[in-house]
């Protein structure tokens, strides 16, 4: 429109001077010069929007420029809002009592707060972009990172304080981003060690006087039973002997628990022939049952488990022993060792015993927790068996699943992950 109007005006003015085409040419040249001026202004603004101001012509250019200025204003506002949100996030993360790090897909550090800096001994800006695995070189953290299942946390010694202990937890979010939370658990760890050492030392110290008492009781027992001078003491001496045995069993279980709770203690894990181990465990249980129960053992002979023998044995013998203990005469006990659908392994003991009420099940693995106090004591139970099972299972990365119906029986099932399980090489299976 504007172009046609300019050409027409040019033609009329040119006609006044007798040269209409020159008039049209001149008008078009002026029109083009105007367009180029605005185009140049637009280019200069696009290159340096902060320094250059756009002119304010009318018409189409005016509309284009005001639309662009509007867009710029909106963008600035959004940027400000984002910056405010980011500042708010950073100041709240900064105020957290725990260390926080933002990590990229490969573990490269994008941001961290000052607590994380002091807990992990980071050097400030220099460590941005570094992979967290290069700074935290503990094998437990490497295994946790590689597992890609971040539902739990991992505890490692502090890299900046020789006696400190840190708990690390990864929380995945967004597009392969990760948040690493670092908590200082040194004090908790120290108290836990003090408690553990106290129980272990007390149990150890109590053993010696108890051995002396038992020795004297053993010396006195024959005289009491054979009608000697101590014959009146027959019942009290027998009772003292049985109580001394209970105390010994308690001390033995407490020491076992203390050992299980000490991280990294004990011999190195080995690959265990579970089927063979179970034959022994079931043979012992038959002895305990004295033909009161029917046993059925089915164990996959090629399915091996990596762990410490004493720990695996204590899981098996506690669970099978409990089945014997809490199943009345004539009941049956089924023991299974088999592969799971996920490639792991499962150990299951099923009995037709007295069962456990559903609301008691979650508390069974607590220390000294008994469903029926009198019955457990009478059967010589310490109340520590299932705690030992739970701790030993934790060391083996296993999980305990309990199902039970009062009056019908119970099933105790231990599930081990695939990384703990091995298959017997085929040449030895036939040997
Ligand atoms: P205890 O030494 O008393 O057997 P445990 O820790 O082994 O201690 O077991 C805790 C409690 O769980 C027991 O006192 C018993 O009440 C219950 N319990 C364990 N196993 C069974 C089972 N197979 N059937 C019924 N109750 C059981």
């Amino acid at each position: 429109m504007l172009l046609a109007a300019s050409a027409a005006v040019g033609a009329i003015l040119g006609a006044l001077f007798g040269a209409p085409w020159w008039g049209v040419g001149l008008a078009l040249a002026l029109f083009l010069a105007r367009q180029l001026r605005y185009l140049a202004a637009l280019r200069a603004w696009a290159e340096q929007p902060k320094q250059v101001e756009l002119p304010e012509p009318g018409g189409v250019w005016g509309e284009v420029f005001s639309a662009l200025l509007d867009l710029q204003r909106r963008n600035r506002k959004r940027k400000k809002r984002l910056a405010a949100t980011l500042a708010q996030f950073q100041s709240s993360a900064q105020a957290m009592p725990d260390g926080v790090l933002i990590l990229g897909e490969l573990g490269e550090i994008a941001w961290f707060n000052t607590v994380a800096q002091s807990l992990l001994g980071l050097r400030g800006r220099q460590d941005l972009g570094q992979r967290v695995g290069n700074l935290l070189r503990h094998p437990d953290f490497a295994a946790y990172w590689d597992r890609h299942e971040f539902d739990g946390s991992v505890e490692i010694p502090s890299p900046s304080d020789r006696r400190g202990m840190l708990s690390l937890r990864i929380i995945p979010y967004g597009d392969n981003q990760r948040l690493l939370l670092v908590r200082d658990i040194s004090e908790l760890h120290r108290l836990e060690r003090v408690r553990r050492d106290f129980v272990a030392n007390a149990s150890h110290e109590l053993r010696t006087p108890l051995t002396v008492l038992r020795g004297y009781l053993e010396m006195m027992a024959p005289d009491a039973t054979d009608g000697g001078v101590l014959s009146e003491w027959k019942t009290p001496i027998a009772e003292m002997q049985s109580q001394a045995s209970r105390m010994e069993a308690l001390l033995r279980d407490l020491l076992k628990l203390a050992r299980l709770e000490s991280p990294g203690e004990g011999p190195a894990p080995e690959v265990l022939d579970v089927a063979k181990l179970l034959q022994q465990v079931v043979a012992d249980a038959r002895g305990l049952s004295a033909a009161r129960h029917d046993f059925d053992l089915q164990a996959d002979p090629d399915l091996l488990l990596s762990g410490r023998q004493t720990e695996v044995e204590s899981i098996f013998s506690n669970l099978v022993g409990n089945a014997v203990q809490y199943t009345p005469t004539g009941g049956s006990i089924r023991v299974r060792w088999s592969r799971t659908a996920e490639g792991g392994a499962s150990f299951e003991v099923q009995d037709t015993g007295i069962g456990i009420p559903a609301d008691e099940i979650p508390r069974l693995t607590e220390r000294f927790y008994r469903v029926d106090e009198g019955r457990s004591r009478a059967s010589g139970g310490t109340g520590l068996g299932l705690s030992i099972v739970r701790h030993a299972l934790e060391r083996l990365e296993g999980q305990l699943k309990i199902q039970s119906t009062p009056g019908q029986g119970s099933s105790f099932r231990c599930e081990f992950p695939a990384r703990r399980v091995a298959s017997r090489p085929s040449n030895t299976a036939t040997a």
Side-chain angles (χ1 to χ4, degrees):
M1 264 307 274
L2 199 61
L3 183 65
S6 307
V9 172
I12 292 165
L13 287 178
L16 288 180
F17 293 99
W21 291 112
W22 277 103
V24 171
L26 201 63
L28 287 181
L30 283 173
F31 183 82
L32 197 64
R34 186 168 177 267
Q35 305 301 315
L36 288 175
R37 187 167 86 83
Y38 290 143
L39 212 56
L42 182 61
R43 188 175 162 187
W45 176 82
E47 278 168 2
Q48 289 177 311
K50 272 191 188 150
Q51 277 91 345
V52 177
E53 278 208 9
L54 279 176
E56 289 177 24
V60 182
W61 280 106
E63 281 169 27
V64 170
F65 286 171
S66 87
L68 283 173
L69 286 172
D70 214 36
L71 196 68
Q72 189 192 35
R73 257 194 304 275
R74 277 208 303 268
N75 272 342
R76 272 191 192 144
K77 253 193 207 159
R78 204 166 52 205
K79 223 161 110 183
K80 254 192 205 156
R81 253 201 323 265
L82 274 176
T85 315
L86 194 69
Q88 216 172 16
F89 162 76
Q90 289 195 345
S91 64
S92 61
Q94 204 58 274
M96 272 174 71
D98 294 340
V100 183
L101 292 96
I102 294 177
L103 307 177
E105 188 178 357
L106 302 170
E108 59 282 19
I109 301 174
W111 185 83
F112 51 80
N113 65 358
T114 42
V115 182
Q117 181 171 5
S118 74
L119 286 180
L120 299 179
L122 300 176
R123 291 167 303 170
R125 298 202 135 264
Q126 280 162 282
D127 282 332
L128 288 177
Q130 283 254 36
R131 287 200 191 171
V132 74
N134 293 341
L135 299 168
L136 295 173
R137 290 186 167 272
H138 197 277
D140 287 356
F141 179 72
Y144 177 61
W145 180 269
D146 291 340
R147 216 178 300 150
H148 291 280
E149 291 165 18
F150 302 123
D151 43 359
S153 58
V154 63
E155 290 177 8
I156 63 164
S158 159
S160 58
D161 170 9
R162 208 164 42 84
R163 289 193 303 184
M165 197 75 191
L166 301 177
S167 161
L168 306 178
R169 186 182 176 151
I170 290 171
I171 300 167
Y173 71 99
D175 193 14
N176 277 327
Q177 301 272 97
R178 271 148 208 187
L179 209 62
L180 174 62
L181 298 183
V182 189
R183 176 170 290 180
D184 185 359
I185 51 162
S186 313
E187 187 55 17
L188 202 72
H189 205 70
R190 193 185 66 78
L191 289 174
E192 187 60 24
R193 202 181 52 236
V194 169
R195 180 191 66 79
R196 219 169 41 221
D197 289 352
F198 173 76
V199 175
N201 290 338
S203 313
H204 202 73
E205 290 298 321
L206 282 169
R207 266 172 129 185
T208 320
L210 190 62
T211 314
V212 175
L213 287 178
R214 254 183 87 91
Y216 280 118
L217 284 170
E218 248 154 55
M219 279 162 61
M220 290 151 85
D223 190 90
T225 45
D226 297 345
V229 277
L230 289 173
S231 56
E232 274 183 32
W233 285 84
K234 188 178 158 194
T235 319
I237 286 178
E239 176 63 17
M240 282 193 274
Q241 276 188 310
S242 106
Q243 293 297 338
S245 299
R246 265 202 61 208
M247 277 175 78
E248 263 179 359
L250 264 171
L251 294 181
R252 190 195 55 229
D253 279 1
L254 280 172
L255 275 171
K256 229 188 236 176
L257 258 179
R259 234 171 276 132
L260 282 172
E261 283 182 316
S262 312
E265 221 173 76
E270 49 187 319
V271 178
L272 302 168
D273 183 345
V274 173
K276 200 166 140 207
L277 264 180
L278 282 177
Q279 272 171 5
Q280 189 54 47
V281 169
V282 171
D284 293 346
R286 277 184 205 276
L288 197 67
S289 150
R292 288 185 298 119
H293 307 100
D294 190 33
F295 284 88
D296 171 24
L297 166 65
Q298 277 182 30
D300 182 342
D302 297 332
L303 191 57
L304 311 175
L305 179 70
S306 147
R308 296 183 178 90
Q309 179 156 344
T310 46
E311 292 169 11
V312 175
E313 260 172 357
S314 72
I315 297 174
F316 295 171
S317 57
N318 267 305
L319 293 180
V320 180
N322 275 351
V324 173
Q325 209 85 265
Y326 300 105
T327 303
T329 304
S332 53
I333 295 163
R334 252 174 50 144
V335 180
R336 296 277 180 275
W337 169 245
S338 53
R339 214 175 273 280
T340 58
E342 297 80 36
S346 129
F347 167 74
E348 188 179 16
V349 183
Q350 245 182 18
D351 62 47
T352 56
I354 57 172
I356 305 150
D359 55 339
E360 307 267 9
I361 292 180
R363 300 199 57 191
L364 285 188
T365 57
E366 289 175 18
R367 274 156 215 237
F368 299 113
Y369 191 81
R370 296 153 165 129
V371 178
D372 180 348
E373 197 109 340
R375 193 186 170 107
S376 162
R377 285 233 173 84
S379 61
T382 60
L384 292 171
L386 290 180
S387 300
I388 292 178
V389 169
R390 193 189 75 200
H391 278 94
L393 265 179
E394 267 169 24
R395 305 254 285 204
L396 291 157
E397 302 172 272
Q399 279 190 341
L400 180 62
K401 296 192 173 152
I402 308 172
Q403 282 181 338
S404 188
T405 316
Q408 288 189 17
S410 319
S411 146
F412 287 77
R413 194 178 146 91
C414 309
E415 286 178 5
F416 301 95
R419 56 182 172 276
R420 281 278 172 179
V421 173
S423 289
R424 188 192 298 277
S426 50
N427 55 345
T428 53
T430 49

